[in-house]
Amino acid sequence: MIASVCHLFLALVGAPFLLSVINRTKAWIAGRHGQPWLQPYHDLLRLLRKGAVYSRTTSWVFRAGPLIGLAAVLTATTLVPFGQARALVAFQGDFIAFVYLLGLARLVTVLAALDTGSAFEGMGANREVWFSALTEPALMLSLAALAREVGGNGSLSLSVLHLGMSAAVWSRTGFVLALVAVAWVVVLLSENSRIPVDDPTTHLELTMIHEVMVLDHSGPDFAFILYGAALKLWLFAALFVGLLSPVKTGLPGVDSVIALAEVMGVAVGVGLVESVMARLRLPSVPQLLIGACAISSLAFLIERHGVLLP
Amino acid sequence: MTGLLEPALIVVILTNLAITASSRLAFGIRLVATQGVVAGLMPLVLSPEEVTVRLVVIGGLTVVLKGIVFPRLLDRTLRQAAVRREEDPPFGYKASIVGGVVTLGLAFWLTGPNRMPLPAPLASPLQLPAAVFTLLTGLFLIVARNNALNQVLGYLVMENGIFLIGLALALEEPLLLEMGILLDVFFGVLVMGVAIFHISRAFDSIEVDELTTLKD
Amino acid sequence: MLPLLTAIGLLSTGGLIALVLGRKPRAAGTVAATACVAAAGVALPAVLAALAGGSPESLVLPWATIPGGAFHLVLDPLAAFFLVLVLVIPAVVAVPLADYLAATKPDRSHGLFWLAYTLLAAAMMVVVLAANVLLFLVAWEVMSITAYILVVFRDDRPEVRVAGWSFLAATHLGTAFLLPMFLILARGGPLEFDVLSAKELPTALVDTVFLLAVFGFGVKAGVIPFHVWLPTSYAAAPGPVPAVLSGVMSKLGLYGLLRVLTMLGPPPVWWAWVLIGLGLLSGVLGILNALVQHDLKMLLAYSSVENIGVILLGLGTGLLGLSAGPDRGGVALEALGFGGAMLHILSHAICKSALFLGAGAVERLAGHTEIDRLGGLLKVAPVVGTTFVVASAGLCGLPPLCGFSSEFLIFLTAFEEEARLSSVAMLPPLAVVGGLAFVGGLACYAFAKAAGLTFLGTTRGPSVLPQRLGWTASAIFIGLAIGCLSLGLAAPVVVGQLAPTIAVATRLPAPVVTAALPEVTGPLGGVTTTSTILLGILLLLVVVRKALLAGRVVATAVTWDCGYARPAASMQYTGSSFAEPAASVLGGGAGYSREVPSEMPYFPSEPPVRTDAVDPVKAVIYRPLFNALRATLARGRILQLGRVHVYVLYITLTLLGLVVWVLGIKG
């Protein structure tokens, strides 16, 4: 229990740090020095100290959007296990709640964007909602594959699946897990608005998806949104390493440190991807996402108790 | 009065033939009226011993309706529609006479011995053939004539035929039923007369041939 | 049973009084609404008591004039569950409906409308309670006809008349399937539900009965491909009337299916596959079609089709669970699936009623329901708008609202099955997982369009004047929104109460179901915990922000929009543009077509781009079928000369022929 609470604090405090890891990685590849390590924290504090400006076109939906979004992501944090400890809240099927809490965050952001009556924000809302409709099946199917592989006797809780993963499982079903990992990478990049789906550093509104939805938020609201995005990235990274990484020693403290290192590793990976690749053309993004769905389904069809192999 | 039966039946048969042959509408109305009166008096002719009140009432009503009221109604309709005769029926007049005779033969064949089961023996062997012939003539008039008034006449002839068939098969109809049938016919003719008037006003013609837009 | 009969009596009397008061719309509406509420008040206690289980109450009165018929009513937990919907929803919808009719003032007598409304409620009660085939079919027919009267109330418009025709044709086509089904089950014996069964019937006949039930009841429920009457009828019905049609009447199709399933023996696996297949088809095609609609009510109608698909998925996965065997937790799986389906019936009824009430209010405020000309209605009608947004989130299946709890159960059933079953048998639950996730995502898309473009932003058409909503109507809207949230939080308790209903529907003994229930209520309890945490954190954040902004400058300005200082309403996304990315890829499944002129003028005053959505099932299956039928039958037209005496000739010849044949040839 204590371990779970500690991990919760680690997530809350460490999430913005992931953003600086990504930015420093990109800067290093580009030959620059990069921003200070604690820059995201400075940005958040600065925003929290400001007042706010609200558009006259908006209603309570706009004011509620950032709050509900952050509340949803924070609630999702209580569901994610870390290291050797289980999550604060764990029950059969909690990953469904995880996915749909993030869906709630997305819907309120979209509605807040539509509330401003602006063309740019409508455009972002439009694309966000379409891409997420394609990402959700990929996420669910990959979780289903994991449930089948790892949770042998019908247990469907993130905490149990997380503990069930080990090197032994990898040696048994390596190929399947590799496919699931590929699908997860695509889902992670898509849900967190990273290249190749969305470019977080673009200045052109017509090419934005996530940033353009939150154009009109200011002050504390904007701080909540930025923080929520960072936390969401942390959660996806933590789940990724927790559910798929075979490196587990069984000792609580050591496993937490290893998990932390792996999460930072994921951030570095994201930074590398962003440095190396360019963003896909928008009409090609659905192809990528449907491909992720297909890979997750394929993971089913070729696993040992599956359809194709006897 | 039994001796009057056969002549009465022959009158009925002759009126049928005459109606199919005639092209003048006023004459047709007279013929149908005669036929109606004769048919209405037929029960009295058939059973002269038991002249019940019922028979007298029915006979009297029939005579009044078919002999006076209907011809009056139809004459008025005829005047309002301002038509004298039907010029060009689908089945020509000369051919109609031949058709009439053929129908008579058919009626005799249908009602031949051992063919139609009868509950009681007939007062005359002509009775059933005449009745069936009247029915078939009525149908023939409806099919083979274009003029709406002719078709009303055909309807009346058909009704006479049904009445005669009922008599021949010695059907005991309750009083209420017979009154009901008469009322039915009365209103039928009334409505048809009004309808013909309106049709003639709307379409300037009572040739049924022209009224084909119903099919769409 | 007496309270229920009293309720039926109250409804009928109310309707007759309303008929007499037809010329005074306010009075007629009030009388009918009072009757509905009174009926609900009188009957609900008895219904809720029956829901808790115990032996079913029954009432048998002989019905002399009809052979085989009897006035046989039975109140068991399954009937009680649906009765809750039948009693509550019409009562809830009646008051806003009365407001709507009084405000839009159609210039015809309202008496017949209100009589039809109350008779619809009464007929639906009898449908659910009936335990005799003929009584059931008569009540079914009365239900269809009264619903028809409600749909064609505004028959001055041609599209309403066409919708009414298709409604009548479809419902009778469906009923035509029901009659042989009942006859096969009865096999010449008495026509009572408790006697009908499929024992000793050959398997082929049992399968036929199942398929007949699926088709016959599927038409009423609105399952693709039998749904073609649904969207146009819901759009044609005035104001909030579709709330009753969608929230209750469609569900009675599901009730019929469940009732017939109880008469058939243990289901073979392929029945579950049929239900899952139809559920996926309805879900995916339903929400795709919803996405591309221009009219708000058509969008909501297609969303109803999608939700019926989700309910079918719950039933299908439940049935599939049974085949996993009792040792592998088959009972728990069936309870999970059926529990999810029933919970979804409840949550859809609440949310869809709220949505259609909102659409009715929109129609009253703006005069139309075209999304492309609406916008900003949240500021004009805050209560309606808020309820609409909350109910939309509910139907998207988002926590902490009710839609999530039900979809959660269905997901869980599918996940458990695909984790346990092996080889090919795992594919249907897998399809359910992927399909339900996809449908959920698209539902968020469609409802972001419906709620976002109608109520948020600024108006794309002429500006709409605010109208005051009456106290009762406001209370009803707020009540529905709260109900949506409460059902989500209280889901474990509610599902626990539904154990007897699930027992009746699955023909398992009640103690067995109750023993398996913790597997259902346990995870739901976890969901409730999560939802409570969510609400708690939200409250905390509200306080935090208030504290942060206290004493600081909080200003209002025009939308910043990245520095563009002159936003105009016409720059906002319209319905068609919002749906365009998905429609251009998946539009085939929705009959989507886009007209772009080959030469685009430089400054078009009229929008040159048109999008259109034709129901694909109608275009691909029904229209060609009916056209072929018409072409074949048109050949018989030559016989139809239009001349009366020719027809008499046909009759005479036939008669003569028969007479000659009987007398002459048979001798």
Side-chain angles (χ1 to χ4, degrees):
Chain A
M1 179 58 159
I2 307 215
S4 311
V5 176
C6 287
H7 289 136
L8 186 70
F9 269 113
L10 183 63
L12 292 180
V13 168
F17 194 69
L18 281 185
L19 290 181
S20 56
V21 169
I22 296 177
N23 284 332
R24 288 291 285 233
T25 316
K26 282 161 65 172
W28 176 67
I29 302 242
R32 292 184 275 119
H33 187 255
Q35 58 179 186
W37 287 103
L38 296 181
Q39 182 61 37
Y41 296 95
H42 291 305
D43 288 335
L44 286 172
L45 282 174
R46 174 173 51 92
L47 286 169
L48 284 174
R49 283 198 286 262
K50 288 191 171 188
V53 177
Y54 290 108
S55 158
R56 280 192 274 273
T57 322
T58 61
S59 59
W60 65 264
V61 173
F62 185 77
R63 289 158 178 71
L67 298 181
I68 302 180
L70 184 58
V73 179
L74 285 172
T75 318
T77 318
T78 62
L79 292 172
V80 175
F82 200 78
Q84 267 293 0
R86 40 167 280 164
L88 262 183
V89 178
F91 53 91
Q92 189 86 329
D94 53 14
F95 56 88
I96 306 172
F98 176 79
V99 172
Y100 274 81
L101 278 170
L102 296 180
L104 175 67
R106 188 184 314 118
L107 184 71
V108 294
T109 317
V110 163
L111 286 179
L114 287 174
D115 203 12
T116 59
S118 133
F120 285 139
E121 276 142 353
M123 179 186 74
N126 179 16
R127 292 168 178 173
E128 172 80 17
V129 160
W130 171 222
F131 292 159
S132 64
L134 294 174
T135 323
E136 269 195 34
L139 192 51
M140 283 293 197
L141 285 173
S142 53
L143 284 169
L146 280 175
R148 203 180 159 78
E149 282 312 301
V150 180
N153 43 352
S155 176
L156 292 169
S157 167
L158 276 175
S159 306
V160 178
L161 292 177
H162 164 254
L163 290 173
M165 176 56 69
S166 66
V169 180
W170 263 96
S171 63
R172 188 162 39 98
T173 55
F175 196 48
V176 174
L177 290 177
L179 285 178
V180 172
V182 169
W184 258 91
V185 166
V186 174
V187 168
L188 191 151
L189 292 174
S190 163
E191 288 272 335
N192 293 287
S193 312
R194 297 273 142 194
I195 289 181
V197 174
D198 187 14
D199 187 351
T201 58
T202 179
H203 300 291
L204 306 170
E205 293 85 357
L206 289 175
T207 61
M208 296 177 185
I209 301 179
H210 190 74
E211 297 72 39
V212 75
M213 278 203 292
V214 299
L215 276 181
D216 264 79
H217 292 282
S218 52
D221 287 337
F222 196 49
F224 290 159
I225 290 178
L226 284 184
Y227 181 65
L231 195 52
K232 192 164 145 181
L233 180 59
W234 174 280
L235 291 178
F236 268 98
L239 268 185
F240 183 61
V241 303
L243 291 175
L244 288 167
S245 158
V247 183
K248 292 220 165 63
T249 58
L251 304 164
V254 178
D255 269 338
S256 300
V257 172
I258 296 179
L260 190 60
E262 286 170 337
V263 167
M264 294 301 153
V266 169
V268 170
V270 170
L272 285 175
V273 168
E274 296 220 324
S275 310
V276 166
M277 282 186 73
R279 214 193 67 158
L280 284 178
R281 281 179 63 230
L282 275 177
S284 314
V285 173
Q287 287 175 6
L288 177 68
L289 298 174
I290 296 177
C293 289
I295 292 180
S296 324
S297 330
L298 197 61
F300 270 97
L301 299 177
I302 69 164
E303 52 102 342
R304 210 152 59 97
H305 304 288
V307 179
L308 292 185
L309 290 184
Chain B
M1 283 216 254
T2 351
L4 284 177
L5 181 59
E6 304 241 324
L9 289 173
I10 297 190
V11 165
V12 166
I13 294 179
L14 286 176
T15 45
N16 283 331
L17 286 172
I19 293 176
T20 56
S22 153
S23 68
R24 278 182 295 135
L25 292 166
F27 185 50
I29 296 176
R30 303 282 161 270
L31 285 173
V32 172
T34 321
Q35 195 185 64
V37 167
V38 168
L41 294 175
M42 194 80 73
L44 290 167
V45 172
L46 271 178
S47 47
E49 315 87 44
E50 319 145 12
V51 181
T52 57
V53 179
R54 177 170 153 244
L55 282 180
V56 171
V57 165
I58 299 241
L61 258 178
T62 317
V63 166
V64 167
L65 269 182
K66 294 192 183 175
I68 304 176
V69 177
F70 289 164
R72 270 250 176 92
L73 278 173
L74 292 173
D75 272 335
R76 205 177 65 166
T77 315
L78 199 55
R79 252 199 327 272
Q80 286 167 337
V83 177
R84 282 296 178 101
R85 45 172 78 204
E86 180 168 355
E87 300 297 329
D88 209 357
F91 208 65
Y93 287 108
K94 302 194 229 345
S96 291
I97 302 190
V98 176
V101 173
V102 167
T103 317
L104 188 58
L106 182 63
F108 271 108
W109 180 81
L110 276 178
T111 57
N114 307 326
R115 213 162 261 141
M116 229 186 235
L118 296 168
L122 292 173
S124 154
L126 263 190
Q127 209 176 348
L128 203 51
V132 172
F133 177 52
T134 316
L135 175 63
L136 290 176
T137 309
L139 279 175
F140 175 79
L141 276 180
I142 296 182
V143 170
R145 295 286 175 266
N146 247 343
N147 191 303
L149 210 73
N150 255 331
Q151 304 208 327
V152 178
L153 293 179
Y155 171 70
L156 283 171
V157 169
M158 216 171 78
E159 203 274 326
N160 285 338
I162 295 173
F163 180 71
L164 286 174
I165 292 181
L167 270 186
L169 295 180
L171 293 173
E172 274 285 325
E173 293 170 359
L175 182 64
L176 204 59
L177 188 61
E178 292 189 20
M179 302 289 252
I181 294 175
L182 277 177
L183 192 70
D184 225 2
V185 179
F186 170 65
F187 274 112
V189 174
L190 192 62
V191 168
M192 282 193 264
V194 174
I196 293 177
F197 169 61
H198 282 292
I199 290 173
S200 81
R201 261 234 308 233
F203 296 102
D204 289 329
S205 144
I206 50 174
E207 300 296 308
V208 181
D209 227 357
E210 323 250 318
L211 304 174
T212 56
T213 41
L214 276 176
K215 88 172 166 181
D216 290 327
Chain C
M1 196 58 73
L2 188 61
L4 296 169
L5 292 175
T6 324
I8 297 179
L10 276 172
L11 286 168
S12 318
T13 333
L16 288 169
I17 301 179
L19 177 67
V20 170
L21 290 173
R23 285 285 153 197
K24 306 196 198 70
R26 266 272 159 221
T30 320
V31 166
T34 321
C36 290
V37 173
V42 162
L44 262 181
V47 168
L48 289 175
L51 202 55
S55 57
E57 263 187 73
S58 80
L59 169 74
V60 186
L61 292 173
W63 193 358
T65 48
I66 308 224
F71 199 73
H72 185 184
L73 303 177
V74 168
L75 178 63
D76 66 358
L78 183 62
F81 175 73
F82 283 93
L83 265 183
V84 171
L85 289 179
V86 170
L87 288 170
V88 171
I89 304 282
V92 162
V93 173
V95 173
L97 181 55
D99 281 346
Y100 171 84
L101 282 183
T104 52
K105 280 201 241 302
D107 52 332
R108 43 180 299 171
S109 166
H110 294 211
L112 187 60
F113 179 88
W114 286 112
L115 177 66
Y117 188 82
T118 46
L119 278 187
L120 176 63
M124 290 198 286
M125 279 185 72
V126 178
V127 164
V128 172
L129 288 170
N132 172 284
V133 169
L134 290 175
L135 181 65
F136 180 86
L137 287 175
V138 166
W140 191 259
E141 186 64 23
V142 173
M143 180 176 82
S144 308
I145 293 183
T146 45
Y148 168 75
I149 295 178
L150 292 180
V151 165
V152 294
F153 184 57
R154 288 181 309 197
D155 59 1
D156 46 310
R157 304 184 197 182
E159 66 266 11
V160 171
R161 294 197 291 269
V162 171
W165 277 122
S166 72
F167 177 87
L168 270 187
T171 187
H172 285 116
L173 213 57
T175 318
F177 281 111
L178 293 182
L179 200 50
M181 175 194 79
F182 279 123
L183 288 177
I184 297 179
L185 279 176
R187 272 165 300 170
L191 292 169
E192 310 294 321
F193 278 14
D194 42 12
V195 173
L196 293 182
S197 86
K199 278 198 281 267
E200 301 143 9
L201 270 183
T203 330
L205 268 186
V206 179
D207 291 339
T208 318
V209 169
F210 172 71
L211 287 175
L212 285 173
V214 166
F215 292 159
F217 288 119
V219 170
K220 185 63 75 177
V223 174
I224 291 186
F226 313 117
H227 71 290
V228 283
W229 60 273
L230 205 151
T232 43
S233 304
Y234 286 9
V241 167
V244 175
L245 298 181
S246 164
V248 195
M249 200 178 76
S250 305
K251 307 303 190 309
L252 292 192
L254 293 171
Y255 163 76
L257 185 61
L258 282 172
R259 187 59 84 181
V260 172
L261 276 178
T262 63
M263 297 174 195
L264 306 173
V269 177
W270 70 269
W271 286 9
W273 294 350
V274 165
L275 288 181
I276 291 180
L278 285 178
L280 282 176
L281 194 62
S282 307
V284 174
L285 278 187
I287 199 65
L288 266 182
N289 274 287
L291 197 48
V292 295
Q293 295 300 324
H294 294 290
D295 182 87
L296 185 62
K297 283 166 85 167
M298 296 266 285
L299 191 152
L300 292 176
Y302 274 111
S303 158
S304 296
V305 172
E306 174 241 325
N307 278 286
I308 297 284
V310 171
I311 299 174
L312 278 184
L313 283 180
L315 293 179
T317 47
L319 280 184
L320 201 59
L322 200 59
S323 71
D327 53 323
R328 288 165 103 190
V331 174
L333 285 177
E334 205 173 358
L336 264 178
F338 273 71
M342 306 235 163
L343 197 58
H344 201 77
I345 291 180
L346 279 180
S347 59
H348 179 242
I350 295 181
C351 294
K352 210 23 103 47
S353 307
L355 288 174
F356 270 115
L357 282 178
V362 167
E363 208 174 336
R364 195 178 131 195
L365 286 168
H368 65 91
T369 47
E370 272 182 60
I371 301 180
D372 292 337
R373 288 196 290 146
L374 292 169
L377 286 176
L378 185 53
K379 294 190 273 292
V380 170
V383 174
V384 174
T386 312
T387 314
F388 197 94
V389 169
V390 170
S392 303
L395 271 191
C396 293
L398 297 175
L401 302 167
C402 49
F404 176 64
S405 310
S406 44
E407 290 197 9
F408 174 79
L409 284 182
I410 301 178
F411 261 121
L412 198 55
T413 325
F415 269 111
E416 299 245 13
E417 284 169 4
E418 61 88 15
R420 292 179 210 188
L421 297 174
S422 55
S423 68
V424 189
M426 147 194 85
L427 285 178
L430 183 64
V432 172
V433 167
L436 198 52
F438 187 48
V439 166
L442 283 182
C444 285
Y445 196 155
F447 278 104
K449 169 175 168 172
L453 297 183
T454 314
F455 287 95
L456 306 177
T458 49
T459 175
R460 294 166 183 79
S463 56
V464 175
L465 297 169
Q467 282 177 30
R468 236 183 61 83
L469 205 59
W471 284 115
T472 344
S474 299
I476 290 179
F477 274 104
I478 298 176
L480 282 172
I482 295 181
C484 198
L485 179 62
S486 324
L487 186 59
L489 292 175
V493 175
V494 172
V495 174
Q497 292 293 88
L498 289 180
T501 315
I502 298 177
V504 173
T506 57
R507 285 172 352 267
L508 294 166
V512 175
V513 174
T514 322
L517 218 51
E519 301 233 12
V520 180
T521 51
L524 272 185
V527 169
T528 309
T529 316
T530 318
S531 303
T532 328
I533 296 178
L534 175 67
L535 291 172
I537 297 180
L538 181 60
L539 224 53
L540 185 65
L541 286 175
V542 170
V543 171
V544 165
R545 185 174 74 176
K546 232 175 146 72
L548 282 174
L549 288 178
R552 293 197 198 148
V553 177
V554 177
T556 58
V558 80
T559 303
W560 179 61
D561 207 6
C562 223
Y564 190 85
R566 291 174 194 258
S570 56
M571 284 199 272
Q572 294 175 105
Y573 263 55
T574 60
S576 348
S577 36
F578 198 78
E580 197 266 339
S584 53
V585 172
L586 297 172
Y592 176 80
S593 65
R594 206 173 111 154
E595 254 175 62
V596 179
S598 46
E599 285 202 12
M600 191 84 82
Y602 283 118
F603 296 102
S605 53
E606 283 263 317
V609 177
R610 272 182 57 92
T611 63
D612 219 348
V614 177
D615 190 300
V617 178
K618 211 192 274 193
V620 169
I621 300 184
Y622 288 100
R623 242 180 229 152
L625 186 68
F626 287 141
N627 283 340
L629 207 60
R630 190 158 59 163
T632 323
L633 291 177
R635 306 230 187 96
R637 275 273 187 120
I638 14 176
L639 284 178
Q640 195 186 20
L641 287 166
R643 301 177 188 184
V644 175
H645 47 170
V646 177
Y647 297 154
V648 177
L649 180 60
Y650 292 153
I651 298 173
T652 318
L653 285 178
T654 318
L655 276 176
L656 267 182
L658 282 174
V659 167
V660 167
W661 180 58
V662 167
L663 290 182
I665 302 174
K666 276 181 82 177

